[in-house]
Each structure stands twice: as C-alpha cells, then as structure tokens.
Amino acid sequence: MIELYLDTADAVAVKRFNQCLPLTGVTTNPSILAKSKQGLNETLKNMQDALGETPRFHAQVVSTTVEGMVAEARQINELPYDMVVKVPATEIGLAAIKLMKKEGITVLATAIYTVQQGFLAALCGADYLAPYVNRIDAMNGNGVEVVADIQLLLDQNQLPAKILAASFKNIQQAIEVMKLGIGAITLPVDVAAQMFAHPAVQPAVDQFSQDWEEAFADKLSFES
Ligand code: E4P
C-alpha cells in the first residue's frame, strides 16, 4: 500500500488529518522548519504527540560536504524515532548516500528535478526518491512524466527504491502520480484538505438529511 505523508511542521494540522487519513508519518525540509521557527527536535516531539504509535519521519541534512552530511546523518539516525535522512541528489549528496548506505542508514534522495538524478540516486542505494512534481511543472517541465520515467527505470532494473513524490499544488498532480504505482507521496496540508473539497458532496449530504427529516423527523435509521 502507498505510504502517505504530510509535508509540514504544523502538528495541529497533522493531528486533524491523522483522524481521517492513514498517515505513515511526516516529511519536512529546512525551509519548512525555518518558516515554522521550530527546530527539528521540537517538531519531531510535537509530531510524535500528534500521531501516536510509531510514525516515520523524514528530515533533511543541512551540511554541504560529504563528510558533514554523513556525520549529520548518523546523528539524525540516532534520534529516538523512525528516521529517514533526506539528502539532496547532487554530486556531493550521492557520494554521501553511498557512504550512508554502507552504515545501514535509511535515506531519501531529495531535490530531484530530472530522471537521471532519481535513477542515479537509486543506483547509489537510496531507499526513497523525492521528485518535485509541481516545481518541475512550474519550470515548464512535466513532473508526472519525470515520475513515470523514474518508476520505469526502477522497475526495469529491479531497484528497491520507492518514489516518494513531493511538491504538489493540486490534487490532480497527486492523483496522476499515484496512478503510476509509486510507493509513497507527501502532500502539503492545503493539498490534503483539497482531497475532501468537491462542491457537490456537501449539498448531496444535506439533501439526504432534508429528505429524511421531512419523512421521519428526528428518528434514526434503525428506529424507522
Ligand atoms: C520534499 O522533499 C520537499 O521538501 C517538498 O515537498 C517541496 O515542496 P514545495 O515545492 O511545495 O516547496
């Protein structure tokens, strides 16, 4: 089954959506944490409280050298949660991923804009790949096509990496990539909210209530 994440540092939103969605956990990035003005430790604690059980968290290194990324990944990996370390799929990042995998650290290759970045990261052993669907679309590319091509290469080469598609502005983008059979997806809170927002739904439910009340007043179904 696809793993569903929220891409946020907002624990209140996570608590709300955890009641109605089968969330695997939460993803963050340095920009999300900076905007929330909460560090990683505070965010993880709040998210753990909001989700309960044993959620999976994806947190990104901020170091910019191979050695720095690997040292930072070790520390993230030792946090008392189920952690996945996010590493940008750059030349330096791929070198760091190869070393992290030798140590058994679970890794997500992030900032993927091209098919080749995703494929190379999978060959280097990344467990997850995060193509940025909306950011690719916004640059006149085709985010869904990039995801489809990466998935094709994973399948052809029998690579175990899962695509964790990221960067969405609307549900259509999310549905299109989910139809490709990807292993995971992370949605910003506003896009998750759009999942329930079809204009015909509430009027249909209201009509049922009105018809029922006219015929049976305040009786419940089994009392009628
Ligand atoms: C995922 O790894 C990224 O953190 C994130 O999804 C990017 O989303 P944005 O394009 O909405 O910033």
Side-chain angles (χ1 to χ4, degrees), residues 65-178:
T65 61
V66 175
E67 300 72 29
M69 286 181 182
V70 173
E72 192 176 344
R74 285 189 195 116
Q75 298 292 325
I76 292 175
N77 191 45
E78 278 175 17
L79 293 171
Y81 308 100
D82 178 11
M83 297 301 302
V84 178
V85 179
K86 295 176 69 175
V87 183
T90 58
E91 183 178 348
I92 288 173
L94 293 187
I97 289 172
K98 284 183 73 175
L99 295 173
M100 289 172 199
K101 289 315 298 174
K102 281 190 183 155
E103 299 186 21
I105 295 171
T106 307
V107 177
L108 176 144
T110 193
I112 293 177
Y113 289 78
T114 65
V115 177
Q116 57 273 24
Q117 265 182 296
F119 185 45
L120 292 178
L123 288 174
C124 287
D127 303 276
Y128 293 92
L129 312 170
Y132 284 6
V133 178
N134 185 67
R135 292 197 198 189
I136 296 169
D137 287 352
M139 297 172 78
N140 286 327
N142 186 328
V144 175
E145 217 168 84
V146 170
V147 174
D149 287 349
I150 296 173
Q151 188 63 59
L152 182 73
L153 287 169
L154 294 180
D155 294 342
Q156 283 178 343
N157 290 274
Q158 297 176 343
L159 289 163
K162 283 184 183 180
I163 293 181
L164 188 157
S167 179
F168 294 99
K169 283 293 161 283
N170 60 63
I171 288 297
Q172 190 59 29
Q173 292 168 324
I175 295 294
E176 288 303 319
V177 295
M178 285 194 275

Side-chain angles (χ1 to χ4, degrees), residues 14 24-25 49 78 80 106 143 152 196 219:
V14 167
T24 301
D49 292 346
E78 278 175 17
T106 307
L152 182 73
F196 309 104
K219 279 189 179 153

